[in-house]
């Protein structure tokens, strides 16, 4: 279970310099625009891909947080909207 949960993260990116293509290596399954930037749920998280994102335009303030088991279930079940 932990290995499955380990692939899933909530990635937050602030500012306007961010481009959606930067998230592709992490495989976003859901994205939401927020007043402060973008929040994405990803299902292929790796430290290497995240560090590449952080080195890109708009990525210096990126954060990756673990998802709860409930959020992972929603992501896998496709509930609550998917990619927005």
């Amino acid at each position: 279970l932990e290995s499955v949960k380990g692939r899933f993260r909530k990635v937050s990116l602030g500012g306007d310099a961010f481009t959606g293509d930067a998230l592709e290596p992490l495989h976003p399954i859901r994205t939401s625009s927020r007043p402060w930037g973008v929040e994405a749920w990803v299902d292929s998280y790796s430290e290497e891909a995240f560090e590449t994102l952080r080195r890109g335009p708009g990525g210096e303030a990126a954060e990756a947080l673990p998802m709860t088991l409930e959020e992972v279930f929603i992501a896998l079940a496709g509930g609550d909207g998917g990619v927005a």
Side-chain angles (χ1 to χ4, degrees), residues 9-54:
R9 291 286 192 282
K10 287 186 282 192
V11 176
S12 301
L13 299 155
D16 298 326
F18 163 73
T19 62
D21 293 341
L23 280 171
E24 284 309 310
L26 298 168
H27 193 249
I29 53 176
R30 178 180 180 167
T31 58
S32 301
S33 294
R34 306 284 187 203
W36 45 261
V38 173
E39 179 181 78
W41 287 10
V42 301
D43 70 359
S44 293
Y45 179 84
S46 74
E47 288 291 330
E48 298 83 23
F50 182 68
E51 285 306 315
T52 300
L53 174 72
R54 291 194 73 194

Side-chain angles (χ1 to χ4, degrees), residues 2 7-8 10 12 14-15 19 21-22 25 33 50 69 71 74-76:
E2 290 303 316
R7 295 186 354 235
F8 290 84
K10 287 186 282 192
S12 301
T19 62
D21 293 341
S33 294
F50 182 68
L69 190 55
E71 290 167 331
I74 290 169
L76 290 173

